[in-house]
Amino acid sequence: MSATIVSQLHSYNKKVARSRATSEPAWVRWSLIAVSLLFLSLFLFIPLAAVFTEALRKGFGAYIAALVDPDALSAIKLTVIAAAISLPLNLVFGVAAAWAIAKFDFRGKSILITLIDLPFAVSPVIAGLIYVLIFGMQGWFGEWLIDHDHKVIFAIPGIVLATIFVTFPFIARELIPLMQAQGKEEEEAGLVLGANGWQILWRITLPNIKWGLLYGVILTNARAMGEFGAVSVVSGHIRGLTNTMPLHVEILYNEYNYAAAFAVASLLAFLALLTLALKSFIEWQASRDVIIDEQIEE
Amino acid sequence: MAKHKNVLPGFNLSLGYTLLYLSLIVLIPLSAAFLKTTELSLAEFWQVVTAPRVVASYKLTFGASLIGAVLNAIFGLLTAWVLTRYTFPGKKLVDALVDLPFALPTAVAGIALTAVYASNGWIGSILEPHGIKVAFTPLGVVVALTFIGLPFVVRTVQPVLEDLEAETEEAAASLGANRWQTFSRVILPALWPALLTGFALAFARAIGEYGSVIFIAGNMPMVSEITPLIIITKLEQYDYAGATAVAVVMLVISFILLFAINGLQWWSNHRISASR
């Protein structure tokens, strides 16, 4: 999150030749690398490997069976739906917020940026709780919703709302520093040449921020599909109806059906690895674009 | 910079939409939590948030988050150092995998850590003969919270370390400093703001964490029950006011931390731009 593309761009080619006076002896180097890798293995690599081994413990047949189980399929479907609704909404918000903050000066801007960050600071459990307080049985709109036969809590709308909340800042957070760094000269040039606002947005701004935007979308998607705490509070855990993939993992695990739990978990772990691969690819593309830009300028 | 009139269109639309969306999704729902607690009298509120079981959960949540964040500060700094300064086979892969806790769903992390650190797991079975139990004890909570905070320190320190100029270190060396002195008196002071920011981010994230902890913690009241779980338990008993009271305590602490982090980041950016 804090490793924004901007900082990556600034430091892409800082390769420094180091003499003996400014580097460490080989034995120090290798011990530091070993300690770091041991730490990462204990907390990252071994648990990650465990997901896939546990998933295949009962064989490939059982693995596939756990994934094509109707409850698992409906959990996958709901997870995709929640991500597919929350992603575009937060995307539009992210672009609008970044446009207002990066291209204009106004009072209270830093307060607005802090407020956009709020969902990062709120426990996912509390994110679920606040929607229960509004739409739940005893909530503000509870009676109205019952009278009109709508369901938000323990139903799909609640899950979507909770997902939107926890992924709220990701895209805006990625775009604001990027668009601030880019300034507004190109947009102003477009305006002078007679483009209207939407043309400027589509033809100048969006192409300029495409990597940052994609980066934000990928992070949002990963979090949306993997959210557990917030969704757990509003879902009601109704099998085949209001279970997302992470909730399905929990249910299977609590029923001591470990192989099946890890099978569904392995899909999510695979999604996480795919996210990291795409993220590295985007960082590489973005830094390559900067190098090309600088070569053109020279 | 001369102040001139901003000619770009869309200010009212974009700011208006931003404020509307922010209010509907974040501000109004959050204010619901604060309004709900007004249903309790001050004495009732105090009784709920200082009940022994709740206080025990604060101690565990904040204590384990602090230990996890300290571990991440130490090993995150080391990892950032190793990734920026040295080359070794598989470095790019390791660098990419550091972000795994951001991408891996917390429930998956929770069951994976439990499987590895349980007494019959890969690591748990090695530790068990030495009398160290991790899974289903407070130590398990520390392990989970270390996992989820792992990328923060690495990713805040790494860019600062990359931007440090070799000349400063050469100057220190030519003035007779040995490598350790150069590190502790020249490099470390420059890293402090970033290190502290990463530490605070990891700590703040750990306090609210739920998914990865509940599988490994064992969730015994007074021993290994975290505060977010207390909120869930109260909700399941339809004690909405009680759940909200505990939530408000957590929210206030989180907001204070958020402001502290923003201050730290401002300090950190300020120092970098001042040194340029």
Side-chain angles (χ1 to χ4, degrees):
Chain A
M1 277 169 241
S2 34
T4 59
I5 271 199
V6 177
S7 66
Q8 308 261 355
L9 298 187
H10 281 307
S11 51
Y12 69 94
N13 63 354
K14 286 251 166 98
K15 285 231 171 71
V16 192
R18 291 194 169 268
S19 63
R20 245 175 58 199
T22 54
S23 61
E24 293 75 36
W27 70 269
V28 175
R29 250 185 354 245
W30 285 107
S31 333
L32 291 179
I33 292 173
V35 173
S36 168
L37 289 182
L38 178 69
F39 172 73
L40 294 176
S41 303
L42 288 177
F43 287 95
L44 284 187
F45 305 149
I46 295 176
L48 180 65
V51 174
F52 293 101
T53 15
E54 293 287 331
L56 291 169
R57 179 154 281 182
K58 287 198 178 152
F60 199 68
Y63 178 79
I64 296 296
L67 296 184
V68 297
D69 175 82
D71 287 343
L73 287 177
S74 89
I76 294 171
K77 200 174 127 199
L78 182 55
T79 298
V80 172
I81 290 173
I85 298 174
S86 49
L87 205 57
L89 288 172
N90 282 341
L91 180 70
V92 172
F93 163 74
V95 173
W99 180 266
I101 289 170
K103 307 287 179 191
F104 299 93
D105 285 318
F106 54 92
R107 253 201 231 188
K109 193 195 264 191
S110 56
I111 295 174
L112 180 61
I113 295 175
T114 306
L115 288 178
I116 290 174
D117 270 352
L118 270 185
F120 278 157
V122 173
S123 171
V125 168
I126 299 176
L129 167 75
I130 55 179
Y131 291 111
V132 173
L133 293 180
I134 294 180
F135 298 108
M137 298 267 261
Q138 310 172 12
W140 293 354
F141 301 117
E143 274 182 32
W144 187 89
L145 286 169
I146 293 170
D147 291 346
H148 292 77
D149 206 24
H150 291 302
K151 246 186 147 187
V152 176
I153 299 305
F154 304 150
I156 295 173
I159 293 171
V160 172
L161 273 175
T163 306
I164 292 176
F165 183 94
V166 293
T167 55
F168 182 87
F170 281 97
I171 295 175
R173 249 330 214 157
E174 219 40 70
L175 291 185
I176 291 168
L178 184 65
M179 280 168 70
Q180 276 175 333
Q182 284 174 347
K184 53 190 180 192
E185 284 83 4
E186 289 187 38
E187 280 83 1
E188 283 169 350
L191 197 70
V192 171
L193 293 170
N196 66 35
W198 295 113
Q199 287 172 323
I200 292 174
L201 182 67
W202 281 108
R203 302 204 188 153
I204 300 171
T205 309
L206 289 181
N208 272 342
I209 58 170
K210 61 174 186 267
W211 297 123
L213 198 66
L214 206 58
Y215 195 92
V217 165
I218 286 166
L219 291 180
T220 306
N221 182 60
R223 183 69 198 265
M225 292 194 163
E227 179 50 32
F228 177 75
V231 170
S232 169
V233 173
V234 294
S235 129
H237 302 86
I238 308 164
R239 276 183 105 132
L241 279 178
T242 63
N243 259 349
T244 61
M245 284 167 81
L247 297 178
H248 192 57
V249 169
E250 185 200 18
I251 288 189
L252 292 171
Y253 190 85
N254 287 342
E255 289 171 344
Y256 304 103
N257 194 350
Y258 294 137
F262 278 99
V264 180
S266 76
L267 271 192
L268 289 165
F270 180 72
L271 175 80
L273 291 176
L274 191 70
T275 302
L276 295 183
L278 279 170
K279 190 173 155 291
S280 301
F281 173 75
I282 291 168
E283 281 163 1
W284 175 69
Q285 281 289 329
S287 67
R288 209 190 54 164
D289 281 6
V290 171
I291 296 171
I292 292 170
D293 280 354
E294 289 190 353
Q295 280 167 349
I296 292 170
E297 276 167 27
E298 279 163 16
Chain B
M1 202 170 73
K3 234 188 156 144
H4 62 96
K5 198 172 171 288
N6 199 327
V7 288
L8 289 177
F11 176 66
N12 289 333
L13 179 66
S14 60
L15 186 65
Y17 182 73
T18 301
L19 293 176
L20 177 73
Y21 192 72
L22 179 71
S23 307
L24 285 179
I25 300 289
V26 180
L27 300 182
I28 296 173
L30 275 180
S31 63
F34 289 91
L35 282 175
K36 182 78 185 175
T37 51
T38 56
E39 287 177 14
L40 295 174
S41 73
L42 201 63
E44 285 170 327
F45 177 83
W46 190 250
Q47 205 191 351
V48 170
V49 301
T50 57
R53 191 170 156 187
V54 179
V55 171
S57 83
Y58 298 143
K59 282 183 189 159
L60 175 67
T61 302
F62 289 97
S65 300
L66 193 67
I67 298 172
V70 168
L71 280 176
N72 276 323
I74 298 167
F75 291 101
L77 174 63
L78 175 67
T79 303
W81 179 271
V82 164
L83 288 176
T84 43
R85 294 292 169 103
Y86 307 146
T87 49
F88 55 92
K91 183 174 124 170
K92 283 213 168 122
L93 188 67
V94 171
D95 195 358
L97 280 176
V98 164
D99 282 332
L100 187 72
F102 286 160
L104 193 70
T106 52
V108 178
I111 63 169
L113 289 169
T114 312
V116 169
Y117 284 93
S119 54
N120 59 352
W122 290 340
I123 299 176
S125 60
I126 302 172
L127 296 175
E128 182 98 339
H130 298 89
I132 306 169
K133 275 197 169 170
V134 180
F136 316 123
T137 70
L139 201 57
V141 180
V142 173
V143 168
L145 295 181
T146 308
F147 171 86
I148 56 117
L150 199 146
F152 288 102
V153 173
V154 181
R155 293 307 184 218
T156 47
V157 170
Q158 215 173 4
V160 183
L161 210 48
E162 278 169 356
D163 273 354
L164 276 188
E165 278 156 11
E167 286 87 339
T168 356
E169 288 169 51
E170 278 165 11
S174 69
L175 291 169
N178 66 31
R179 212 42 205 145
W180 174 249
Q181 286 170 324
T182 308
F183 175 76
S184 61
R185 302 211 189 148
V186 177
I187 300 174
L188 199 57
L191 295 180
W192 263 122
L195 192 61
L196 218 57
T197 307
F199 169 82
L201 284 168
F203 182 64
R205 172 72 210 267
I207 287 172
E209 178 56 19
Y210 173 72
S212 59
V213 179
I214 51 155
F215 294 99
I216 201 171
N219 307 324
M220 276 175 20
M222 306 297 292
V223 178
S224 58
E225 190 180 40
I226 53 166
T227 312
L229 183 64
I230 295 255
I231 298 175
I232 296 256
T233 313
K234 284 188 185 296
L235 268 180
E236 280 169 356
Q237 295 160 350
Y238 299 103
D239 178 9
Y240 286 7
T244 314
V246 178
V248 161
V249 172
M250 287 196 77
L251 276 177
V252 169
I253 295 168
S254 302
F255 290 168
I256 293 171
L257 271 171
L258 179 68
F259 279 102
I261 291 167
N262 276 12
L264 276 171
Q265 269 167 343
W266 180 84
W267 178 39
S268 163
N269 292 338
H270 197 69
R271 274 185 44 153
I272 292 169
S273 53
S275 67
R276 271 198 184 133

